[in-house]
Amino acid sequence: MTSQEVRLCGLLLREHFGEVVEKVGTTLLRGGTQNLRSILQETGVSLDLVKKSLCVLVQHGTCVFSPGRKGRGSPSEYRASCHLILRILRYPRYIYTAKTLYGDTGELIVEEMLQRGRVTMSNIVKTVADRLTQTMEEGHSMEYKEVCSAFSKLVETHFLQRCPRTASKAAADSEEAPASTEPPAPESFADCYTVPQVTLVGRGKRQLEDAKEQSVAKKTHGDEGIYWQVNFERFHLHFRDQAIISAVANKLDQTSSEIIRTMLRMSEVTTPPAAASTKPLSANEIFRSLPAGYNIPRQVLDQYLSLLVDDPMEFVSKAGESGGGMYVLTSIQTVSLSPHFGRFGSRSARIFRLLLKKKHLEQKQVEDFAMIPAKEAKDMLYTLLSQNLVQLQEIPKTPDFAPSRTFYLYTVNQLSTARMLLQNCYKTVANLIHRRLFETSNSKRLLEKSQRIEAILASLQAGGAEPEQLTEVEEMITAPEKQQLDSLRLHINKLDSAENQVDETIFLLESYIHATASSSS
């Protein structure tokens, strides 16, 4: 864990949960596993606020607790996870993916679950139905069963999963320390993706109707004690597959990307998420599994598969001849390692790609292969070397390491380069968030005024106010203030867009590093 990661985690916690939670979270990140007394001493925050902050972190899955390591009677210990906190940065992408796959209902389900952390199915169905009813015309409402259907689809495709049960009190109070303090994985339970029978009949209610029924006693729906959470790994698997498909479409064509999409869909069940490659798939199975809209002859499919096998990117490799040919999708761990060379120029990018392909080259060889003048190539190589994007390896002819009798070879260490670029991305996102918070705080008064006026307009429109009244309220914001608001919103939208773009690069780099480390271990 680096200082850039801790800084970014602190900014994300402050933005979503407040300064107190940020202080507790960063204390856990810097100090590692700690008990409640240690956290109190480090933060200087009151006991009540520390307990509430820990509850928030545990509720959202960014912190886990375990029995004390000293055995029976020792206080519980808390540990925050950096990579779990960094998932907050990807919340907009999770929500957008749910909207793309399952429409507005799926979008609101995922959004509510991300906001609450862990929640029961009946609770989420009611809330989403009420929110959808608010957007409908008067006299229309969303039925609970429609929301339940969307929820079930998300569970069937493993985008949602049951929360694992916590250890029993008897196990927590055992005399011996637990063998592992890791929380149980949700997949370790047989009913992880089993939707309970919920007795929920009715429709979503509007705010006025809901206020009238607040005095009615709460009913049970049959899912008490069963909590659900977002399965982030399933979303990441979807993002990875989309990145592979997009890379193939950009490198070759749409038909090749559709073949890759088919292979990924076929291997969803047979291949573990962390696997470096898929299970072998026969050409006959791939041909039968192609979408009905793609009328590709078998001969053309074989040609495309051969093209994918021969491509330098090595998207697909051949594993045998049975069944018309056995093929393996191997680009899972090398989906895209593409550092951006905008600040160094296209020629530097050419040199970098050349070193990736040739592995080791002398300076003269780089000049010849890249077709760049000697002086420019030398300057570019030294610039890349100073930025740690390339490395210089010395191979002496004699034991004295005399420069005249030593080969100096330029090479690229892909794993270390990816880690360095990942840290740069963390720093960039932290700077973008810091800038956005600064811009928002500087215009806090104007934003609050705009929100108050929008609330007044909404209440007047709901009450059927005259157009003159609406115009009078709108004129409470002057023309210069409107211009300032438009400029601020445009600036914040650009910062948000930049955060999402950098997060896509972060995801690719994290996927590459994780897959490379897994395959080498």
Side-chain angles (χ1 to χ4, degrees):
M1 188 189 311
T2 62
S3 59
Q4 295 299 339
E5 291 176 275
V6 175
R7 179 190 174 214
L8 178 56
C9 288
L11 288 170
L12 291 172
L13 290 175
R14 184 200 308 175
E15 184 178 12
H16 286 79
F17 306 120
E19 294 182 0
V20 178
V21 177
E22 176 205 2
K23 186 177 291 187
V24 173
T26 52
T27 299
L28 287 171
L29 290 175
R30 291 193 177 99
T33 305
Q34 300 181 55
N35 56 35
L36 186 58
R37 182 189 294 270
S38 301
I39 299 171
L40 282 170
Q41 293 174 348
E42 291 289 335
T43 58
V45 181
S46 67
L47 177 61
D48 184 52
L49 289 178
V50 169
K51 287 182 177 180
K52 290 180 179 178
S53 300
L54 289 172
C55 286
V56 169
L57 292 173
V58 171
Q59 173 73 9
H60 286 82
T62 56
C63 174
V64 295
F65 63 92
S66 59
R69 288 170 288 184
K70 295 181 180 179
R72 183 178 182 179
S74 60
S76 298
E77 295 179 331
Y78 300 87
R79 174 170 54 86
S81 178
C82 188
H83 77 277
L84 296 178
I85 296 175
L86 290 176
R87 288 175 179 172
I88 298 174
L89 185 65
R90 214 159 284 149
Y91 277 8
R93 199 173 175 190
Y94 298 142
I95 296 170
Y96 179 74
T97 301
K99 180 181 177 66
T100 304
L101 297 176
Y102 300 101
D104 294 339
T105 307
E107 174 194 10
L108 290 181
I109 290 173
V110 173
E111 181 184 341
E112 286 291 332
M113 296 200 71
L114 289 174
Q115 287 180 353
R116 301 189 187 191
R118 302 175 183 184
V119 65
T120 60
M121 177 180 175
S122 57
N123 198 337
I124 208 76
V125 167
K126 287 182 178 180
T127 304
V128 171
D130 292 346
R131 287 186 60 180
L132 288 171
T133 301
Q134 296 292 333
T135 61
M136 293 181 174
E137 297 179 357
E138 192 69 32
H140 295 78
S141 59
M142 173 63 66
E143 292 188 4
Y144 289 154
K145 66 178 181 179
E146 294 183 25
V147 183
C148 288
S149 175
F151 190 96
S152 299
K153 290 179 181 178
L154 284 164
V155 175
E156 288 172 6
T157 50
H158 294 189
F159 285 105
L160 300 180
Q161 60 185 189
R162 286 194 187 190
C163 298
R165 297 186 183 91
T166 58
S168 64
K169 186 177 180 181
D173 293 339
S174 61
E175 295 184 4
E176 297 182 359
S180 173
T181 58
E182 292 295 327
E187 287 80 2
S188 61
F189 300 100
D191 55 355
C192 176
Y193 299 109
T194 303
V195 180
Q197 293 293 331
V198 179
T199 56
L200 201 60
V201 181
R203 297 173 177 267
K205 301 176 180 58
R206 301 183 186 273
Q207 289 182 352
L208 295 177
E209 299 173 4
D210 192 49
K212 293 177 182 177
E213 297 184 7
Q214 281 183 354
S215 58
V216 180
K218 293 183 179 180
K219 298 180 181 178
T220 58
H221 303 287
D223 67 336
E224 288 72 24
I226 302 176
Y227 291 89
W228 296 84
Q229 64 185 1
V230 174
N231 185 2
F232 296 103
E233 297 305 323
R234 179 64 181 88
F235 275 100
H236 293 169
L237 185 63
H238 177 78
F239 297 157
R240 187 204 65 186
D241 291 349
Q242 293 303 311
I244 295 174
I245 294 167
S246 176
V248 174
N250 294 333
K251 185 72 166 53
L252 300 174
D253 61 3
Q254 192 63 35
T255 304
S256 301
S257 68
E258 194 60 40
I259 294 172
I260 295 294
R261 188 195 305 273
T262 302
M263 295 178 68
L264 287 169
R265 188 174 65 250
M266 292 170 63
S267 60
E268 276 184 353
V269 180
T270 60
T271 304
S277 61
T278 64
K279 298 291 184 181
L281 302 170
S282 69
N284 295 333
E285 292 175 340
I286 298 172
F287 181 72
R288 289 194 297 266
S289 301
L290 285 172
Y294 271 81
N295 298 319
I296 303 176
R298 175 58 192 274
Q299 184 179 1
V300 176
L301 174 64
D302 292 338
Q303 293 175 353
Y304 268 106
L305 289 172
S306 300
L307 179 65
L308 289 167
V309 170
D310 297 335
D311 191 85
M313 291 293 290
E314 299 179 351
F315 292 111
V316 177
S317 63
K318 199 166 186 178
E321 297 295 338
S322 60
M326 302 296 291
Y327 296 91
V328 175
L329 185 62
T330 58
S331 58
I332 289 180
Q333 64 174 352
T334 57
V335 53
S336 178
L337 179 60
S338 54
H340 300 282
F341 284 87
R343 52 189 290 209
F344 304 115
S346 60
R347 290 190 172 186
S348 296
R350 188 193 310 171
I351 291 174
F352 187 86
R353 288 194 297 268
L354 180 65
L355 291 173
L356 281 176
K357 184 177 181 181
K358 299 292 186 180
K359 306 300 182 184
H360 295 84
L361 289 175
E362 291 183 291
Q363 182 177 322
K364 184 67 170 63
Q365 292 175 310
V366 172
E367 298 166 7
D368 295 339
F369 283 122
M371 294 183 290
I372 298 174
K375 183 180 179 182
E376 292 184 21
K378 181 179 179 180
D379 291 342
M380 291 173 187
L381 281 170
Y382 287 175
T383 301
L384 294 175
L385 186 63
S386 65
Q387 297 294 324
N388 295 321
L389 292 171
V390 301
Q391 287 77 38
L392 189 62
Q393 186 173 351
E394 299 179 0
I395 302 179
K397 295 180 182 178
T398 57
D400 59 356
F401 281 84
S404 59
R405 293 186 294 274
T406 302
F407 293 107
Y408 294 94
L409 302 180
Y410 288 94
T411 185
V412 175
N413 187 333
Q414 297 187 49
L415 190 57
S416 65
T417 302
R419 284 175 174 152
M420 184 198 68
L421 290 171
L422 182 60
Q423 296 304 315
N424 290 343
C425 289
Y426 286 148
K427 182 178 180 181
T428 301
V429 174
N431 290 341
L432 288 169
I433 294 175
H434 195 273
R435 182 67 187 181
R436 177 162 51 79
L437 294 175
F438 174 77
E439 293 285 346
T440 306
S441 62
N442 276 359
S443 305
K444 185 177 180 180
R445 184 196 62 81
L446 185 59
L447 289 172
E448 290 177 350
K449 180 180 178 181
S450 173
Q451 291 173 357
R452 286 197 302 269
I453 292 175
E454 288 176 358
I456 295 171
L457 286 172
S459 63
L460 289 176
Q461 289 173 351
E466 298 292 331
E468 292 79 8
Q469 290 178 302
L470 299 177
T471 305
E472 183 179 351
V473 173
E474 289 175 353
E475 291 176 352
M476 293 173 63
I477 296 183
T478 62
E481 288 177 334
K482 286 183 180 178
Q483 186 177 2
Q484 186 179 351
L485 272 173
D486 293 339
S487 176
L488 175 65
R489 286 167 179 163
L490 178 63
H491 193 189
I492 290 178
N493 288 339
K494 287 182 178 179
L495 292 173
D496 287 335
S497 178
E499 286 178 34
N500 294 331
Q501 290 175 2
V502 177
D503 177 62
E504 291 180 9
T505 305
I506 288 175
F507 175 74
L508 293 176
L509 292 172
E510 286 178 341
S511 301
Y512 172 78
I513 292 170
H514 177 71
T516 305
S518 299
S519 61
S520 61
S521 60

